[in-house]
Amino acid sequence: MVVDDEPLIRAGLRQVLDAADDIKTAAAVPVEEAVAAIGETQPQVVLLDCCTTDAPLVSAGLGRLTVVPAVCVLSRSADPRYAALALASGAAGYVLKSTDPGRLPPLVRFLADGWTMMSAEVSHAVVTGFLDHAGREPDAALISRLTRREHDVLVLLAGGLSNADIARRLHLGHGTVKDHVSTILAKLEVTGRIQAERAGLLPRDSAR
């Protein structure tokens, strides 16, 4: 499904994707219609425009669905902070709107297979940021800020589980897990899941 407030972009993306033999666009809708349309058609992948104030509402609405699709954020910004925020909120990808249209079908296939995908410019910035912090050990003192449930979520993050997997493992709503992840990032004073995952590898008695 394509979700964008600009009709020309919706039509263009749909045309590119439907040209692939193995991809069918279930719908192309504006952001305000996204949650209802996703619940009705249950697509595997959603390409979501983030250049709107309604995008967070869509993310919250997705958390209430029984079957949550892989969401790839479409953005004009290559700022890694925005990419980190999108991924921390449960997105499976962050792709620039300047991406070559020919790359979209392979991108959708990878997303449907469970991969996390980012535009080259964004992934380079994210990897560079990770390397800059790779030698820093997480501050164990900050883990004491976490509640028991938040620490449980953190440990599962460190195990490489997705938000959906964590929700199933802890019998929580998808939206609840995303809220926990956002709170964990804030309490640990980190900007991305990778740094939080490193903290999750510390001994359990570091948390109350």
mmCIF file of all heavy atoms in Angstrom, residues 3-5 31 47-56 58-59 71-77 82-83 85-86 91 93-97:
data_model
loop_
_atom_site.group_PDB
_atom_site.id
_atom_site.type_symbol
_atom_site.label_atom_id
_atom_site.label_comp_id
_atom_site.label_asym_id
_atom_site.label_seq_id
_atom_site.Cartn_x
_atom_site.Cartn_y
_atom_site.Cartn_z
ATOM 1 N N VAL A 3 0.968 5.235 0.892
ATOM 2 C CA VAL A 3 0.283 6.239 1.700
ATOM 3 C C VAL A 3 1.015 7.565 1.552
ATOM 4 O O VAL A 3 2.146 7.723 2.016
ATOM 5 C CB VAL A 3 0.237 5.833 3.188
ATOM 6 C CG1 VAL A 3 -0.484 6.904 3.999
ATOM 7 C CG2 VAL A 3 -0.442 4.487 3.360
ATOM 8 N N ASP A 4 0.371 8.519 0.884
ATOM 9 C CA ASP A 4 0.989 9.823 0.660
ATOM 10 C C ASP A 4 -0.119 10.835 0.394
ATOM 11 O O ASP A 4 -1.129 10.509 -0.239
ATOM 12 C CB ASP A 4 1.949 9.759 -0.537
ATOM 13 C CG ASP A 4 2.897 10.936 -0.571
ATOM 14 O OD1 ASP A 4 2.436 12.081 -0.797
ATOM 15 O OD2 ASP A 4 4.103 10.728 -0.369
ATOM 16 N N ASP A 5 0.063 12.038 0.884
ATOM 17 C CA ASP A 5 -0.962 13.063 0.703
ATOM 18 C C ASP A 5 -0.946 13.714 -0.675
ATOM 19 O O ASP A 5 -1.864 14.447 -1.024
ATOM 20 C CB ASP A 5 -0.821 14.145 1.785
ATOM 21 C CG ASP A 5 -1.414 13.709 3.119
ATOM 22 O OD1 ASP A 5 -2.258 12.788 3.116
ATOM 23 O OD2 ASP A 5 -1.045 14.272 4.162
ATOM 24 N N VAL A 31 -2.880 10.054 3.870
ATOM 25 C CA VAL A 31 -2.526 9.601 5.216
ATOM 26 C C VAL A 31 -3.744 9.404 6.110
ATOM 27 O O VAL A 31 -3.818 8.433 6.872
ATOM 28 C CB VAL A 31 -1.531 10.589 5.863
ATOM 29 C CG1 VAL A 31 -1.238 10.187 7.305
ATOM 30 C CG2 VAL A 31 -0.232 10.629 5.070
ATOM 31 N N LEU A 47 4.270 1.806 2.247
ATOM 32 C CA LEU A 47 5.183 2.923 2.024
ATOM 33 C C LEU A 47 4.480 4.162 2.544
ATOM 34 O O LEU A 47 3.456 4.583 1.995
ATOM 35 C CB LEU A 47 5.518 3.066 0.535
ATOM 36 C CG LEU A 47 6.138 1.835 -0.139
ATOM 37 C CD1 LEU A 47 6.478 2.142 -1.598
ATOM 38 C CD2 LEU A 47 7.375 1.364 0.606
ATOM 39 N N LEU A 48 5.005 4.752 3.628
ATOM 40 C CA LEU A 48 4.306 5.818 4.358
ATOM 41 C C LEU A 48 5.047 7.149 4.278
ATOM 42 O O LEU A 48 6.199 7.259 4.700
ATOM 43 C CB LEU A 48 4.153 5.415 5.827
ATOM 44 C CG LEU A 48 3.625 6.469 6.793
ATOM 45 C CD1 LEU A 48 2.197 6.865 6.437
ATOM 46 C CD2 LEU A 48 3.697 5.953 8.229
ATOM 47 N N ASP A 49 4.375 8.150 3.747
ATOM 48 C CA ASP A 49 4.921 9.503 3.725
ATOM 49 C C ASP A 49 5.014 10.024 5.155
ATOM 50 O O ASP A 49 4.046 9.975 5.907
ATOM 51 C CB ASP A 49 3.998 10.402 2.894
ATOM 52 C CG ASP A 49 4.373 11.873 2.983
ATOM 53 O OD1 ASP A 49 5.574 12.164 3.137
ATOM 54 O OD2 ASP A 49 3.473 12.725 2.892
ATOM 55 N N CYS A 50 6.202 10.526 5.555
ATOM 56 C CA CYS A 50 6.353 11.041 6.918
ATOM 57 C C CYS A 50 6.257 12.554 6.960
ATOM 58 O O CYS A 50 6.336 13.156 8.026
ATOM 59 C CB CYS A 50 7.693 10.605 7.523
ATOM 60 S SG CYS A 50 9.114 11.507 6.898
ATOM 61 N N CYS A 51 6.090 13.202 5.801
ATOM 62 C CA CYS A 51 6.066 14.668 5.749
ATOM 63 C C CYS A 51 4.674 15.195 6.043
ATOM 64 O O CYS A 51 4.074 15.930 5.261
ATOM 65 C CB CYS A 51 6.553 15.169 4.396
ATOM 66 S SG CYS A 51 8.215 14.640 3.994
ATOM 67 N N THR A 52 4.092 14.746 7.143
ATOM 68 C CA THR A 52 2.764 15.174 7.533
ATOM 69 C C THR A 52 2.600 15.012 9.037
ATOM 70 O O THR A 52 3.186 14.114 9.631
ATOM 71 C CB THR A 52 1.669 14.362 6.809
ATOM 72 O OG1 THR A 52 0.397 14.643 7.402
ATOM 73 C CG2 THR A 52 1.931 12.873 6.926
ATOM 74 N N THR A 53 1.795 15.867 9.630
ATOM 75 C CA THR A 53 1.559 15.780 11.074
ATOM 76 C C THR A 53 0.692 14.574 11.419
ATOM 77 O O THR A 53 0.581 14.191 12.585
ATOM 78 C CB THR A 53 0.862 17.053 11.590
ATOM 79 O OG1 THR A 53 -0.353 17.257 10.840
ATOM 80 C CG2 THR A 53 1.764 18.263 11.413
ATOM 81 N N ASP A 54 0.057 13.945 10.415
ATOM 82 C CA ASP A 54 -0.808 12.802 10.678
ATOM 83 C C ASP A 54 -0.045 11.489 10.773
ATOM 84 O O ASP A 54 -0.592 10.478 11.201
ATOM 85 C CB ASP A 54 -1.861 12.660 9.567
ATOM 86 C CG ASP A 54 -2.877 13.787 9.593
ATOM 87 O OD1 ASP A 54 -3.125 14.310 10.691
ATOM 88 O OD2 ASP A 54 -3.404 14.142 8.527
ATOM 89 N N ALA A 55 1.228 11.484 10.346
ATOM 90 C CA ALA A 55 1.994 10.231 10.331
ATOM 91 C C ALA A 55 2.067 9.556 11.700
ATOM 92 O O ALA A 55 1.901 8.332 11.800
ATOM 93 C CB ALA A 55 3.395 10.476 9.777
ATOM 94 N N PRO A 56 2.330 10.301 12.795
ATOM 95 C CA PRO A 56 2.339 9.640 14.115
ATOM 96 C C PRO A 56 1.010 8.982 14.458
ATOM 97 O O PRO A 56 0.978 7.955 15.136
ATOM 98 C CB PRO A 56 2.656 10.794 15.077
ATOM 99 C CG PRO A 56 3.396 11.789 14.239
ATOM 100 C CD PRO A 56 2.726 11.712 12.898
ATOM 101 N N VAL A 58 -0.957 7.556 12.320
ATOM 102 C CA VAL A 58 -0.972 6.301 11.582
ATOM 103 C C VAL A 58 -0.190 5.241 12.345
ATOM 104 O O VAL A 58 -0.631 4.109 12.501
ATOM 105 C CB VAL A 58 -0.379 6.482 10.169
ATOM 106 C CG1 VAL A 58 -0.262 5.134 9.459
ATOM 107 C CG2 VAL A 58 -1.235 7.438 9.360
ATOM 108 N N SER A 59 0.997 5.616 12.848
ATOM 109 C CA SER A 59 1.820 4.666 13.604
ATOM 110 C C SER A 59 1.074 4.154 14.826
ATOM 111 O O SER A 59 1.110 2.961 15.137
ATOM 112 C CB SER A 59 3.135 5.340 14.039
ATOM 113 O OG SER A 59 3.897 5.715 12.908
ATOM 114 N N VAL A 71 6.359 -1.349 7.669
ATOM 115 C CA VAL A 71 6.178 0.048 7.273
ATOM 116 C C VAL A 71 7.518 0.655 6.888
ATOM 117 O O VAL A 71 8.480 0.604 7.661
ATOM 118 C CB VAL A 71 5.546 0.874 8.413
ATOM 119 C CG1 VAL A 71 5.458 2.348 8.012
ATOM 120 C CG2 VAL A 71 4.168 0.330 8.758
ATOM 121 N N CYS A 72 7.582 1.213 5.690
ATOM 122 C CA CYS A 72 8.782 1.916 5.238
ATOM 123 C C CYS A 72 8.452 3.397 5.110
ATOM 124 O O CYS A 72 7.555 3.783 4.355
ATOM 125 C CB CYS A 72 9.250 1.361 3.903
ATOM 126 S SG CYS A 72 10.753 2.157 3.279
ATOM 127 N N VAL A 73 9.145 4.216 5.861
ATOM 128 C CA VAL A 73 8.912 5.652 5.841
ATOM 129 C C VAL A 73 9.545 6.273 4.593
ATOM 130 O O VAL A 73 10.698 5.983 4.259
ATOM 131 C CB VAL A 73 9.499 6.311 7.109
ATOM 132 C CG1 VAL A 73 9.489 7.835 6.993
ATOM 133 C CG2 VAL A 73 8.714 5.871 8.333
ATOM 134 N N LEU A 74 8.793 7.108 3.913
ATOM 135 C CA LEU A 74 9.298 7.860 2.768
ATOM 136 C C LEU A 74 9.547 9.293 3.214
ATOM 137 O O LEU A 74 8.649 9.935 3.752
ATOM 138 C CB LEU A 74 8.289 7.843 1.617
ATOM 139 C CG LEU A 74 7.874 6.476 1.078
ATOM 140 C CD1 LEU A 74 6.838 6.642 -0.028
ATOM 141 C CD2 LEU A 74 9.077 5.723 0.547
ATOM 142 N N SER A 75 10.753 9.782 3.028
ATOM 143 C CA SER A 75 11.106 11.106 3.540
ATOM 144 C C SER A 75 11.989 11.862 2.551
ATOM 145 O O SER A 75 12.679 11.257 1.720
ATOM 146 C CB SER A 75 11.830 10.970 4.881
ATOM 147 O OG SER A 75 12.244 12.235 5.357
ATOM 148 N N ARG A 76 11.980 13.180 2.673
ATOM 149 C CA ARG A 76 12.881 14.010 1.872
ATOM 150 C C ARG A 76 14.176 14.281 2.624
ATOM 151 O O ARG A 76 15.118 14.826 2.059
ATOM 152 C CB ARG A 76 12.197 15.341 1.526
ATOM 153 C CG ARG A 76 10.914 15.199 0.735
ATOM 154 C CD ARG A 76 10.369 16.571 0.326
ATOM 155 N NE ARG A 76 9.007 16.465 -0.188
ATOM 156 C CZ ARG A 76 8.706 16.111 -1.442
ATOM 157 N NH1 ARG A 76 9.687 15.833 -2.281
ATOM 158 N NH2 ARG A 76 7.450 16.032 -1.836
ATOM 159 N N SER A 77 14.227 13.917 3.910
ATOM 160 C CA SER A 77 15.383 14.231 4.756
ATOM 161 C C SER A 77 16.284 13.020 4.969
ATOM 162 O O SER A 77 15.815 11.933 5.309
ATOM 163 C CB SER A 77 14.924 14.757 6.116
ATOM 164 O OG SER A 77 16.029 14.941 6.975
ATOM 165 N N TYR A 82 16.206 11.449 12.159
ATOM 166 C CA TYR A 82 14.842 11.130 11.757
ATOM 167 C C TYR A 82 14.714 9.635 11.445
ATOM 168 O O TYR A 82 13.707 9.006 11.755
ATOM 169 C CB TYR A 82 14.436 11.954 10.536
ATOM 170 C CG TYR A 82 14.362 13.441 10.795
ATOM 171 C CD1 TYR A 82 14.665 14.350 9.791
ATOM 172 C CD2 TYR A 82 13.994 13.932 12.038
ATOM 173 C CE1 TYR A 82 14.595 15.714 10.024
ATOM 174 C CE2 TYR A 82 13.932 15.292 12.286
ATOM 175 C CZ TYR A 82 14.230 16.190 11.272
ATOM 176 O OH TYR A 82 14.169 17.531 11.504
ATOM 177 N N ALA A 83 15.752 9.091 10.818
ATOM 178 C CA ALA A 83 15.738 7.661 10.518
ATOM 179 C C ALA A 83 15.720 6.847 11.803
ATOM 180 O O ALA A 83 14.972 5.867 11.924
ATOM 181 C CB ALA A 83 16.962 7.297 9.682
ATOM 182 N N LEU A 85 14.581 7.756 14.701
ATOM 183 C CA LEU A 85 13.273 7.918 15.335
ATOM 184 C C LEU A 85 12.243 7.012 14.663
ATOM 185 O O LEU A 85 11.434 6.373 15.331
ATOM 186 C CB LEU A 85 12.826 9.375 15.259
ATOM 187 C CG LEU A 85 11.468 9.701 15.886
ATOM 188 C CD1 LEU A 85 11.463 9.345 17.367
ATOM 189 C CD2 LEU A 85 11.126 11.171 15.687
ATOM 190 N N ALA A 86 12.300 6.948 13.329
ATOM 191 C CA ALA A 86 11.355 6.098 12.593
ATOM 192 C C ALA A 86 11.551 4.632 12.953
ATOM 193 O O ALA A 86 10.588 3.909 13.222
ATOM 194 C CB ALA A 86 11.529 6.312 11.092
ATOM 195 N N ALA A 91 9.268 1.283 12.492
ATOM 196 C CA ALA A 91 9.356 1.215 11.033
ATOM 197 C C ALA A 91 10.385 0.170 10.617
ATOM 198 O O ALA A 91 11.375 -0.063 11.310
ATOM 199 C CB ALA A 91 9.729 2.576 10.456
ATOM 200 N N GLY A 93 11.804 0.411 7.586
ATOM 201 C CA GLY A 93 12.666 1.038 6.591
ATOM 202 C C GLY A 93 12.542 2.542 6.595
ATOM 203 O O GLY A 93 11.595 3.109 7.147
ATOM 204 N N TYR A 94 13.545 3.186 6.006
ATOM 205 C CA TYR A 94 13.553 4.647 5.886
ATOM 206 C C TYR A 94 14.205 4.965 4.543
ATOM 207 O O TYR A 94 15.405 4.744 4.368
ATOM 208 C CB TYR A 94 14.344 5.275 7.027
ATOM 209 C CG TYR A 94 14.268 6.789 7.100
ATOM 210 C CD1 TYR A 94 13.289 7.412 7.873
ATOM 211 C CD2 TYR A 94 15.172 7.588 6.394
ATOM 212 C CE1 TYR A 94 13.213 8.796 7.958
ATOM 213 C CE2 TYR A 94 15.105 8.974 6.476
ATOM 214 C CZ TYR A 94 14.129 9.571 7.261
ATOM 215 O OH TYR A 94 14.060 10.949 7.339
ATOM 216 N N VAL A 95 13.409 5.437 3.605
ATOM 217 C CA VAL A 95 13.876 5.621 2.236
ATOM 218 C C VAL A 95 13.583 7.038 1.769
ATOM 219 O O VAL A 95 12.508 7.592 2.028
ATOM 220 C CB VAL A 95 13.187 4.601 1.294
ATOM 221 C CG1 VAL A 95 13.566 4.861 -0.158
ATOM 222 C CG2 VAL A 95 13.570 3.186 1.695
ATOM 223 N N LEU A 96 14.549 7.621 1.082
ATOM 224 C CA LEU A 96 14.402 8.987 0.582
ATOM 225 C C LEU A 96 13.501 9.022 -0.650
ATOM 226 O O LEU A 96 13.529 8.107 -1.482
ATOM 227 C CB LEU A 96 15.771 9.568 0.240
ATOM 228 C CG LEU A 96 16.767 9.664 1.401
ATOM 229 C CD1 LEU A 96 18.065 10.301 0.917
ATOM 230 C CD2 LEU A 96 16.182 10.467 2.558
ATOM 231 N N LYS A 97 12.747 10.087 -0.771
ATOM 232 C CA LYS A 97 11.862 10.235 -1.918
ATOM 233 C C LYS A 97 12.642 10.478 -3.209
ATOM 234 O O LYS A 97 12.081 10.375 -4.306
ATOM 235 C CB LYS A 97 10.874 11.372 -1.677
ATOM 236 C CG LYS A 97 9.791 11.029 -0.656
ATOM 237 C CD LYS A 97 8.712 12.089 -0.602
ATOM 238 C CE LYS A 97 7.552 11.653 0.277
ATOM 239 N NZ LYS A 97 6.455 12.645 0.305
#
